[in-house]
Amino acid sequence: GIQVEQSPPDLILQEGANSTLRCNFSDSVNNLQWFHQNPWGQLINLFYIPSGTKQNGRLSATTVATERYSLLYISSSQTTDSGVYFCAVEMLGGGADGLTFGKGTHLIIQP
Amino acid sequence: NAGVTQTPKFQVLKTGQSMTLQCAQDMNHNSMYWYRQDPGMGLRLIYYSASEGTTDKGEVPNGYNVSRLNKREFSLRLESAAPSQTSVYFCASKTGTFYGYTFGSGTRLTVV
């Protein structure tokens, strides 16, 4: 099956800092999503981004499908950004076969 | 618009007991999914239903059964719970190939 690798595994930053999270995947994809899992365990959908660039407030994401990677940018970090960020992909041609998740980046924003 | 609703939110079972986790979506989505999340890991697919009337195994199906009751509802059953099934369970749905997935808020299950 498709492999998804996220880096870094852990990241500790001061409030106000910027960060870049990376997701590499091993095969062509239909679907790539970024999720934020907050400290209460809720999975929040940040971006549906199989290719191209999107922005939502302080967050933006870029997927370069031909090179099989995606980046999530967080600017001016706030303590509420803390949690685990997951990248998940659905293999091209996989139809409705489900997402494969990376192991996540654990982000801690210190005040 | 509730999205994907899971019940219960928390459950403690004794080894060998059975239970059913319920999931319902109100978005008229075709496909539904059950995932489990273990500490320090991403989510892993247990079973999915690409459309009403079909179900298929995912990456970790052993010890589970599912039922796609209708288009809205997809349940996950543990027939004889084991401590290794202690996990957080997430249900998800989506409407088609080029659309994103929507997740429920999870069920935290402990088997003692």
Side-chain angles (χ1 to χ4, degrees):
Chain A
I2 193 167
Q3 305 298 313
V4 181
E5 294 184 0
Q6 292 186 242
S7 59
D10 300 284
L11 188 58
I12 301 174
L13 298 172
Q14 295 297 121
E15 202 167 20
N18 302 328
S19 58
T20 301
L21 282 56
R22 187 176 180 102
C23 172
N24 293 331
F25 45 96
S26 62
D27 211 333
S28 299
V29 298
N30 279 331
N31 177 6
L32 186 147
Q33 287 182 253
W34 283 97
F35 296 91
H36 174 214
Q37 187 166 42
N38 63 25
W40 296 270
Q42 287 182 301
L43 269 175
I44 299 164
N45 182 28
L46 298 176
F47 293 103
Y48 166 75
I49 186 165
S51 63
T53 297
K54 292 186 178 180
Q55 182 159 6
N56 185 3
R58 296 180 296 102
L59 274 61
S60 64
T62 295
T63 297
V64 183
T66 53
E67 297 187 21
R68 300 181 183 170
Y69 74 89
S70 183
L71 302 173
L72 177 68
Y73 304 97
I74 305 173
S75 64
S76 304
S77 299
Q78 301 175 358
T79 55
T80 52
D81 294 330
S82 295
V84 183
Y85 289 80
F86 288 106
C87 169
V89 303
E90 181 182 80
M91 196 165 64
L92 186 66
D97 290 353
L99 290 168
T100 298
F101 281 75
K103 293 186 176 180
T105 292
H106 186 197
L107 177 64
I108 297 173
I109 305 297
Q110 296 178 332
Chain B
N1 186 354
V4 178
T5 302
Q6 292 183 233
T7 56
K9 294 192 183 305
F10 301 93
Q11 184 72 47
V12 178
L13 288 178
K14 293 182 179 178
T15 298
Q17 287 185 318
S18 62
M19 80 160 294
T20 300
L21 280 63
Q22 305 287 353
C23 176
Q25 51 91 9
D26 61 1
M27 298 171 286
N28 201 35
H29 283 177
N30 293 317
S31 305
M32 298 185 72
Y33 305 81
W34 277 105
Y35 289 85
R36 62 178 286 173
Q37 184 180 24
D38 299 307
M41 298 187 67
L43 281 67
R44 293 182 293 167
L45 183 64
I46 305 171
Y47 269 95
Y48 65 100
S49 171
S51 61
E52 189 177 356
T54 68
T55 60
D56 285 286
K57 295 178 180 180
E59 181 185 355
V60 288
N62 291 344
Y64 305 95
N65 287 300
V66 290
S67 296
R68 184 75 183 266
L69 304 170
N70 47 55
K71 192 171 185 179
R72 291 187 62 249
E73 298 172 288
F74 188 40
S75 63
L76 178 72
R77 183 160 178 84
L78 287 69
E79 291 290 353
S80 179
S84 61
Q85 295 178 303
T86 293
S87 191
V88 180
Y89 292 84
F90 287 94
C91 178
S93 69
K94 74 164 187 172
T95 189
T97 300
F98 298 104
Y99 293 86
Y101 290 68
T102 301
F103 281 79
S105 58
T107 295
R108 188 173 296 273
L109 175 67
T110 302
V111 183
V112 297

